[in-house]
Amino acid sequence: MPKVSILMGSDSDLPIMAECAKILEEFEIDYELTLVSAHRTPDRMFEYAKTAASRGIKVIIAGAGGAAHVAGVTAALTPLPVIGVPIMTAAMGGLDSLYSTVQMPSGIPVATVAINGAKNAGILAAKILAVSDPELTEKLVAYQESLNKSVKKKAERLEGIGFREYLSNAE
């Protein structure tokens, strides 16, 4: 049964939101992924958000661009934590999406990650779920350790060969 719901306002958001799905798969977290538009399918949006908790969902991740209201409307309709992913737009470079997602009225919180930050949204969902899942906590600790090792390895390589060689043979 899915624990995380990944919502997108449009299928054009899929290349970004796929990063969220990939990280959830890496942590072996079941998820569902679908399209719901706050503007074009408001009835579907309301039904989806209102029934998420009763369907076993624990965290909702909502990505949208432009007038990005999927996360905010979802947060207004569910008691579950909602993580917003503002999607980059051509018109304003994603600032419109960011402001639409992060500027919520008091009482309707949306945890918001960076523009196109779907991978971090997946990691944040994992951390929320890990509060009551020691096995998932262990996976997150291992993931953080792998990040640490990766940076140390790159630092050693850079220090050993210099920046010119490093840039010409970047991994």
Side-chain angles (χ1 to χ4, degrees), residues 46-144:
F46 275 61
E47 180 68 19
Y48 195 91
K50 285 188 169 270
T51 63
S54 66
R55 292 183 293 107
I57 299 297
K58 303 296 182 203
V59 181
I60 297 174
I61 301 171
H69 294 115
V70 174
V73 171
T74 300
L77 296 168
T78 185
L80 300 173
V82 176
I83 303 168
V85 179
I87 304 292
M88 177 86 66
T89 57
M92 298 180 74
L95 286 178
D96 48 347
S97 309
L98 176 64
Y99 293 150
S100 295
T101 305
V102 77
Q103 287 298 114
M104 295 303 301
S106 180
I108 312 296
V110 172
T112 306
V113 296
I115 296 168
N116 286 358
K119 184 174 181 178
N120 273 353
I123 295 168
L124 181 55
K127 287 184 173 196
I128 291 168
L129 294 171
V131 169
S132 61
D133 185 339
E135 186 178 318
L136 185 53
T137 300
E138 288 177 22
K139 290 177 185 178
L140 283 161
V141 168
Y143 178 78
Q144 288 177 308

Side-chain angles (χ1 to χ4, degrees), residues 143-162:
Y143 178 78
Q144 288 177 308
E145 288 173 0
S146 73
L147 294 176
N148 185 320
K149 287 178 185 175
S150 174
V151 171
K152 285 182 179 179
K153 181 180 175 185
K154 290 177 183 179
E156 288 170 2
R157 184 169 176 267
L158 173 62
E159 292 163 5
I161 64 173

